[in-house]
Coordinates of all heavy atoms in Angstrom, one line a residue:
S1 N 0.8 -1.1 0.0 CA 0.0 0.0 0.0 C 0.9 1.2 0.0 O 1.8 1.5 0.8 CB -0.9 -0.1 1.2 OG -1.7 1.3 1.2
Y2 N 0.5 2.3 -0.9 CA 1.2 3.5 -0.9 C 0.8 4.3 0.2 O 1.4 5.5 0.4 CB 1.0 4.2 -2.2 CG -0.4 4.2 -2.8 CD1 -1.5 4.4 -2.1 CD2 -0.5 4.2 -4.1 CE1 -2.8 4.3 -2.5 CE2 -1.8 4.1 -4.7 CZ -2.9 4.2 -3.9 OH -4.2 4.2 -4.4
S3 N -0.2 3.9 1.0 CA -0.6 4.8 2.1 C 0.1 4.4 3.4 O -0.1 5.0 4.4 CB -2.1 4.5 2.4 OG -2.4 3.1 2.9
S4 N 1.0 3.5 3.4 CA 1.9 3.1 4.4 C 3.4 3.3 4.2 O 4.1 2.4 4.1 CB 1.6 1.7 4.9 OG 0.3 1.5 5.4
P5 N 3.8 4.6 4.0 CA 5.2 5.0 3.7 C 6.1 4.4 4.8 O 5.8 4.5 6.1 CB 5.2 6.5 3.6 CG 4.0 6.8 4.4 CD 3.0 5.9 4.3
G6 N 7.1 3.7 4.4 CA 8.1 3.2 5.4 C 7.7 1.7 5.7 O 8.6 1.1 6.2
V7 N 6.5 1.4 5.4 CA 6.1 0.0 5.7 C 6.1 -0.9 4.4 O 6.6 -2.0 4.3 CB 4.8 -0.1 6.3 CG1 4.2 -1.6 6.6 CG2 4.7 0.7 7.6
D8 N 5.6 -0.3 3.3 CA 5.5 -1.0 2.0 C 5.2 -0.1 1.0 O 5.0 1.2 1.1 CB 4.3 -2.1 2.2 CG 4.6 -3.3 1.3 OD1 5.5 -3.4 0.6 OD2 3.7 -4.3 1.5
D9 N 5.1 -0.5 -0.2 CA 4.8 0.2 -1.3 C 4.1 -0.6 -2.5 O 4.2 -1.8 -2.4 CB 6.0 1.0 -2.0 CG 7.1 -0.1 -2.5 OD1 6.8 -0.5 -3.7 OD2 7.9 -0.3 -1.8
H10 N 3.6 0.0 -3.4 CA 2.7 -0.7 -4.4 C 3.5 -1.3 -5.5 O 2.9 -2.0 -6.4 CB 1.6 0.3 -5.0 CG 2.3 1.4 -5.7 ND1 2.6 2.7 -5.1 CD2 2.7 1.6 -7.0 CE1 3.0 3.4 -6.0 NE2 3.1 2.9 -7.1
G11 N 4.9 -1.2 -5.4 CA 5.7 -1.9 -6.3 C 6.0 -3.5 -6.0 O 6.6 -4.2 -6.6
T12 N 5.4 -3.8 -4.7 CA 5.6 -5.0 -4.2 C 5.2 -6.2 -5.1 O 6.1 -7.1 -5.5 CB 5.0 -5.2 -2.8 OG1 5.6 -4.5 -1.9 CG2 5.1 -6.7 -2.4
W13 N 4.1 -6.1 -5.7 CA 3.6 -7.1 -6.7 C 4.5 -7.2 -7.8 O 4.9 -8.4 -8.3 CB 2.2 -6.8 -7.0 CG 1.6 -7.9 -8.0 CD1 0.9 -9.0 -7.6 CD2 1.9 -8.1 -9.4 NE1 0.6 -9.9 -8.7 CE2 1.1 -9.3 -9.8 CE3 2.5 -7.2 -10.4 CZ2 1.2 -9.7 -11.1 CZ3 2.4 -7.8 -11.7 CH2 1.8 -8.9 -12.1
G14 N 4.8 -6.0 -8.4 CA 5.7 -5.9 -9.5 C 7.0 -6.7 -9.5 O 7.5 -7.5 -10.4
I15 N 7.6 -6.6 -8.3 CA 8.9 -7.2 -8.0 C 8.8 -8.7 -7.5 O 9.4 -9.6 -7.8 CB 9.8 -6.3 -7.2 CG1 10.0 -5.0 -7.9 CG2 11.1 -7.1 -6.9 CD1 10.9 -4.0 -7.1
A16 N 7.9 -8.7 -6.5 CA 7.8 -10.1 -5.8 C 7.1 -11.1 -6.6 O 7.4 -12.2 -6.7 CB 7.0 -9.9 -4.5
T17 N 6.1 -10.6 -7.4 CA 5.3 -11.6 -8.2 C 5.6 -11.4 -9.7 O 5.7 -12.3 -10.4 CB 3.8 -11.4 -7.9 OG1 3.6 -11.7 -6.5 CG2 2.9 -12.3 -8.7
G18 N 5.3 -10.2 -10.2 CA 5.4 -9.9 -11.6 C 6.8 -10.3 -12.3 O 6.7 -10.8 -13.4
I19 N 7.7 -10.1 -11.6 CA 9.1 -10.4 -12.1 C 9.7 -11.7 -11.7 O 10.5 -12.2 -12.5 CB 10.2 -9.3 -11.7 CG1 9.8 -7.9 -12.2 CG2 11.6 -9.6 -12.0 CD1 10.7 -6.7 -11.7
L20 N 9.0 -12.5 -10.9 CA 9.3 -13.8 -10.5 C 8.3 -14.9 -10.9 O 8.3 -15.2 -12.1 CB 9.5 -14.0 -9.0 CG 10.8 -12.9 -8.6 CD1 11.0 -12.9 -7.1 CD2 12.2 -13.5 -9.1
P21 N 7.3 -15.3 -10.1 CA 6.5 -16.4 -10.6 C 5.7 -16.1 -11.9 O 5.5 -17.0 -12.7 CB 5.7 -16.8 -9.4 CG 5.6 -15.5 -8.6 CD 7.1 -15.0 -8.8
S22 N 5.2 -15.0 -11.9 CA 4.3 -14.6 -13.1 C 5.0 -14.6 -14.3 O 4.6 -15.0 -15.3 CB 3.7 -13.2 -12.8 OG 2.6 -13.0 -13.9
T23 N 6.5 -14.2 -14.3 CA 7.4 -14.3 -15.5 C 7.7 -15.8 -15.7 O 7.7 -16.2 -16.8 CB 8.6 -13.5 -15.3 OG1 8.2 -12.1 -15.2 CG2 9.4 -13.6 -16.4
F24 N 8.0 -16.7 -14.6 CA 8.5 -18.0 -14.8 C 7.3 -18.7 -15.5 O 7.6 -19.6 -16.3 CB 8.6 -18.5 -13.4 CG 9.9 -18.0 -12.7 CD1 9.9 -18.2 -11.3 CD2 10.8 -17.3 -13.4 CE1 11.0 -17.5 -10.6 CE2 11.8 -16.7 -12.6 CZ 12.0 -16.9 -11.2
V25 N 6.0 -18.5 -15.2 CA 5.0 -19.3 -15.8 C 4.5 -18.7 -17.2 O 3.5 -19.2 -17.7 CB 3.7 -19.6 -14.8 CG1 4.2 -20.2 -13.6 CG2 3.1 -18.3 -14.5
Q26 N 5.0 -17.7 -17.5 CA 4.7 -16.9 -18.7 C 3.3 -16.4 -18.8 O 2.6 -16.4 -19.9 CB 5.1 -17.8 -19.8 CG 6.6 -18.1 -20.0 CD 7.1 -18.9 -21.2 OE1 6.4 -18.9 -22.2 NE2 8.2 -19.6 -21.0
Y27 N 2.9 -16.0 -17.6 CA 1.5 -15.3 -17.7 C 1.7 -13.9 -18.3 O 0.7 -13.2 -18.8 CB 1.0 -15.1 -16.2 CG 0.2 -16.2 -15.7 CD1 -0.2 -16.4 -14.4 CD2 -0.2 -17.3 -16.6 CE1 -0.9 -17.4 -14.0 CE2 -1.0 -18.3 -16.2 CZ -1.3 -18.4 -14.8 OH -2.2 -19.4 -14.3
N28 N 2.9 -13.3 -18.2 CA 3.3 -12.0 -18.7 C 4.8 -12.0 -19.2 O 5.6 -12.9 -18.7 CB 3.0 -10.8 -17.8 CG 3.8 -11.0 -16.4 OD1 3.2 -11.2 -15.5 ND2 5.1 -11.0 -16.5
S29 N 5.1 -11.2 -20.0 CA 6.5 -10.9 -20.4 C 6.8 -9.6 -20.0 O 6.2 -8.6 -20.0 CB 6.7 -10.9 -22.0 OG 7.9 -10.7 -22.4
V30 N 8.0 -9.6 -19.4 CA 8.6 -8.3 -18.8 C 10.0 -8.0 -19.3 O 10.7 -9.0 -19.4 CB 8.6 -8.3 -17.3 CG1 7.2 -8.4 -16.7 CG2 9.4 -9.3 -16.6
P31 N 10.3 -6.8 -19.4 CA 11.8 -6.5 -19.9 C 12.8 -6.6 -18.8 O 13.5 -5.6 -18.7 CB 11.6 -5.1 -20.5 CG 10.6 -4.4 -19.6 CD 9.5 -5.6 -19.2
Y32 N 12.9 -7.7 -18.1 CA 13.9 -7.9 -17.0 C 14.5 -9.1 -17.2 O 14.2 -10.1 -17.9 CB 13.2 -7.7 -15.6 CG 12.4 -6.5 -15.4 CD1 11.1 -6.3 -15.6 CD2 13.2 -5.3 -15.0 CE1 10.5 -5.1 -15.2 CE2 12.6 -4.1 -14.8 CZ 11.2 -4.1 -14.9 OH 10.5 -2.9 -14.8
G33 N 15.7 -9.2 -16.5 CA 16.6 -10.5 -16.7 C 16.0 -11.8 -16.3 O 16.4 -12.8 -16.6

């Protein structure tokens, strides 16, 4: 949540999920290693 500065941020899904398992199973393609 972007409403809890210092606790978390809305990029969490993008890095924790979107760049890892979601990319591994090819639900999406992302321009990352």
Side-chain angles (χ1 to χ4, degrees):
S1 177
Y2 44 34
S3 68
S4 301
V7 181
D8 210 355
D9 65 80
H10 62 268
T12 293
W13 183 93
I15 299 176
T17 300
I19 294 178
L20 294 168
S22 196
T23 297
F24 296 158
V25 301
Q26 299 184 26
Y27 276 168
N28 57 247
S29 173
V30 295
Y32 299 100

